[in-house]
Amino acid sequence: MTPALRVAVIGSGPAGTYAAEGVLKQLPEAQVDVIDAGLSPFGLVRHGVAPDHLKIKSVTRVLARTLGSPRVRWFGGVRVGDRATGADLEMAELQRRYHAVVVATGAPRGRRLQVEGDHLSGSCTAADVVPWYNGHPDALPPLATRARSVVVVGAGNVALDVARVLLKGGADGLGETDLSDETLAEVRVLGAAEVHVVARRGPEDVKFGVAELRDLANLADVRLEVDPADFATAMPDDGTPVALLREWAQREAGTGERRIRFHFRRRVSRLHGTGGVESVALAAGPGAADPRPLVLSADLVVAAIGFRSEALSGLPYDEELGRIPNVAGRVVPGIYVAGWVKRGPQGVIGTNRLDAMETVAALVADAPVLAARSVDPGDIADLLARQGSSVFTWDDWLRLDAAELARGRDRGKLRAKFAGRDRMLAALVGSGSSEALTGAARPC
Amino acid sequence: MTYVVTAGCVDIRDKACVDVCPVDCIYEGDRKLYIQPDECIDCGACSAACPQAAIFFDEAVPTDQQWFVDDAVGFFSEVLPGRAEPLGMPGGAEFVGAIGVDTPAVAALERAT
């Protein structure tokens, strides 16, 4: 018989959910409580994966099997941190009640450009914009209500997602998504028609995926502008991102009124504007085809240059690496990490399965020691109820899920979300709530 | 769209892809692995994990290996040798275990000596 451990997992994105799945499978007597600050499960699958990538989002089918298991309880709307700043629970309280705690809180902060003008309204990060268009209850729309021209900085798929979603949305092309009517209207009014993608790297070093590049090529009436001078003479291998970019550079850009322009080997040197961003200055980096500086008009700048984890009160934190220090997922016996807070913001959804297995292996190795420790038998459900925290249960989620599916059916699509905390709550209980925003959303 | 396992997997079957597939949709034949195209969510984790670089996004499969795209569809929609009905969508390889047979086209591939 395996030890009957009580395990808490913080975060119900892919990393936390695969960790929970691993614990269920490897410790058949264990019970798992999954705690999430959000009103919905699935983390970045819901709030990070682009809204037009519905096939990727369908991974929720598998994640829900774990979260809906009779051996799992899901506590939504519950924040773990420092009670002095409004958290519902503290790490120390979890450690008293559980044999093991797995932290899978991700990397929710966007890295900023840190150049002059970065404070202007209209200067956002992907961590502001992506949760907004994905209907995160605490996210805010950009302060710039109109943004015909957008500069997206970054050489990864997040940059391409932002470029594509804003361009599609500006032309009413996000019909086949799970977005709410309210968000669709906000993206349409923003009206992006021209997106500049700025990368420090050259085209041979970008982290763009072939699938994401092809998504751009499939946009109707959008010109893809790539400078042939950015390419080395050697022919790249077929099927690589650089081969695709080179192909675009060598053909006619097309006649669409809207466009995406790639700027390689350039960095943002400053943002100009009075009040809001009006233009973006680009400096040439090493190896740039054109060494002259360049100024682009833009109403909105989105830095998609990386994410950072947040420190969790009561645990060590490596400021330099932006994650919780650990060895193969073990912080100390009894405390573990999985996903981006463990290894940094990289990899695709599937990466988290292997990553969580490593963490669970560490936990299982410690299980005999952990089981010998007596824990407070008190139930966090009672504690949360006593202190008046509003908790969303798995049944609540299933009702919201059903309401979103029904709203989608009415609109001829798979799902339509509800935008904003109040509308989500109204869909759930039939009335809105005036509860203050608990997220750290920052208007930009 | 889907990811597709191609020639590089045949008689190698490293299976690094299986551990990273978030939906457990990579099924084991006798000589290679097969991705269930309707269960695949296009995340690409398998492609990055394959030490043989044998897994491609379907639109990016090299021309001489295009036939693996339809072959993978057939692995699930046709009745495989020794089976009574098509595999269909089992919902996860863990539920069915190793299948142990291949499509006729893969079974007929010449073995490296």
Side-chain angles (χ1 to χ4, degrees):
Chain A
M1 203 175 109
T2 60
L5 296 191
R6 292 173 64 174
V7 178
V9 176
I10 311 174
S12 57
T17 306
Y18 287 124
E21 182 194 9
V23 169
L24 292 183
K25 279 188 177 154
Q26 298 204 31
L27 299 172
E29 310 292 324
Q31 297 284 334
V32 181
D33 285 348
V34 180
I35 301 167
D36 200 303
L39 304 185
S40 53
F42 313 134
L44 280 189
V45 174
R46 189 171 160 100
H47 295 132
V49 171
D52 54 346
H53 282 167
L54 292 178
K55 203 175 176 198
I56 294 185
K57 285 184 188 263
S58 73
V59 70
T60 56
R61 178 179 62 84
V62 170
L63 302 179
R65 278 208 296 248
T66 297
L67 297 174
S69 153
R71 287 167 59 206
V72 172
R73 294 188 300 176
W74 182 76
F75 293 84
V78 175
R79 197 157 72 80
V80 179
D82 185 349
R83 281 184 180 270
T85 60
D88 301 286
L89 293 169
E90 298 203 346
M91 196 59 203
E93 297 174 282
L94 294 179
Q95 286 172 258
R96 260 205 312 279
R97 288 176 173 78
Y98 295 89
H99 295 99
V101 181
V102 181
V103 180
T105 46
R109 294 280 161 262
R111 284 184 54 195
R112 304 197 59 85
L113 291 171
Q114 294 184 302
V115 296
E116 203 177 328
D118 189 20
H119 65 283
L120 292 167
S121 86
S123 172
C124 298
T125 71
D128 304 310
V129 172
V130 176
W132 156 63
Y133 65 54
N134 266 316
H136 188 289
D138 297 330
L140 301 168
L143 293 170
T145 47
R146 295 272 304 156
R148 201 181 174 285
S149 177
V150 179
V151 170
V152 179
V153 187
N157 287 329
V158 176
L160 298 187
D161 282 350
V162 170
R164 184 183 73 255
V165 168
L166 294 183
L167 269 176
K168 270 182 156 180
D172 230 352
L174 288 173
E176 287 177 28
T177 65
D178 60 3
L179 294 188
S180 68
D181 304 350
E182 298 80 15
T183 306
L184 285 172
E186 286 168 356
V187 185
R188 187 187 316 120
V189 169
L190 207 58
E194 174 181 275
V195 177
H196 298 272
V197 177
V198 178
R200 275 179 179 241
R201 300 161 185 257
E204 61 284 343
D205 297 321
V206 290
K207 300 270 190 180
F208 300 144
V210 170
E212 285 76 6
L213 285 169
R214 283 174 187 273
D215 279 344
L216 296 184
N218 291 333
L219 292 175
D221 304 322
V222 173
R223 277 181 288 156
L224 301 171
E225 299 180 355
V226 184
D227 186 346
D230 280 328
F231 294 83
T233 44
M235 280 302 280
D237 288 337
D238 274 358
T240 57
V242 61
L244 206 51
L245 287 162
R246 188 190 174 106
E247 193 185 312
W248 296 351
Q250 286 168 344
R251 70 176 190 207
E252 286 292 311
T255 55
E257 242 178 62
R258 301 177 309 131
R259 65 182 186 131
I260 298 177
R261 164 97 205 172
F262 286 86
H263 303 268
F264 292 109
R265 299 188 186 91
R266 289 205 173 257
R267 63 180 173 82
V268 174
S269 54
R270 71 170 287 185
L271 310 180
H272 295 275
T274 50
V277 169
E278 290 164 19
S279 66
V280 178
L282 302 183
D290 182 348
R292 289 170 300 181
L294 183 65
V295 176
L296 305 170
S297 300
D299 317 291
L300 178 65
V301 177
V302 182
I305 53 174
F307 297 90
R308 273 180 77 83
S309 293
E310 287 179 314
L312 184 56
S313 180
L315 291 184
Y317 183 74
D318 185 327
E319 279 291 343
E320 204 173 314
L321 294 175
R323 57 195 192 213
I324 295 175
N326 69 93
V327 177
R330 184 189 288 107
V331 181
V332 292
I335 302 180
Y336 308 87
V337 284
W340 282 6
V341 75
K342 168 187 175 183
R343 67 176 196 274
Q346 49 186 295
V348 292
I349 291 174
T351 316
N352 293 293
R353 188 165 169 220
L354 199 59
D355 176 282
M357 288 309 113
E358 181 189 60
T359 297
V360 170
L363 191 158
V364 169
D366 295 343
V369 178
L370 301 177
R373 195 168 65 89
S374 64
V375 293
D376 182 339
D379 188 338
I380 62 159
D382 298 333
L383 174 66
L384 291 166
R386 259 202 317 278
Q387 70 189 30
S389 299
S390 45
V391 174
F392 295 83
T393 65
W394 187 251
D395 282 341
D396 290 331
W397 158 248
L398 293 180
R399 283 192 290 132
L400 181 60
D401 185 43
E404 289 184 350
L405 294 172
R407 198 185 197 205
R409 262 196 309 279
D410 291 346
R411 288 154 180 76
K413 54 191 197 180
L414 197 62
R415 172 189 299 274
K417 289 177 178 171
F418 295 90
R421 181 172 286 260
D422 283 357
R423 285 192 193 84
M424 287 173 81
L425 292 173
L428 203 54
V429 296
S431 70
S433 156
S434 57
E435 193 181 335
L437 298 182
T438 57
R442 180 191 63 92
C444 64
Chain B
M1 293 182 293
T2 180
Y3 280 79
V4 180
V5 183
T6 62
C9 182
V10 175
D11 297 331
I12 303 276
R13 292 185 307 143
D14 178 90
K15 293 196 270 189
C17 55
V18 173
D19 291 333
V20 298
C21 176
V23 292
D24 193 26
C25 75
I26 308 180
Y27 295 76
E28 195 181 342
D30 180 34
R31 299 181 61 189
K32 75 182 275 283
L33 288 106
Y34 300 81
I35 294 172
Q36 211 303 349
D38 296 315
E39 291 179 357
C40 170
I41 61 164
D42 297 349
C43 85
C46 54
S47 177
C50 178
Q52 304 296 322
I55 307 182
F56 298 88
F57 193 55
D58 57 5
E59 292 177 22
V61 174
T63 321
D64 60 335
Q65 306 205 34
Q66 272 293 330
W67 67 274
F68 282 106
V69 178
D70 286 339
D71 185 70
V73 173
F75 186 78
F76 298 94
S77 65
E78 308 283 324
V79 179
L80 294 170
R83 298 186 75 92
E85 49 187 55
L87 280 171
M89 291 177 69
E94 69 166 316
F95 302 122
V96 290
I99 305 301
V101 290
D102 292 299
T103 58
V106 169
L109 286 174
E110 208 168 303
R111 286 181 193 268
T113 46

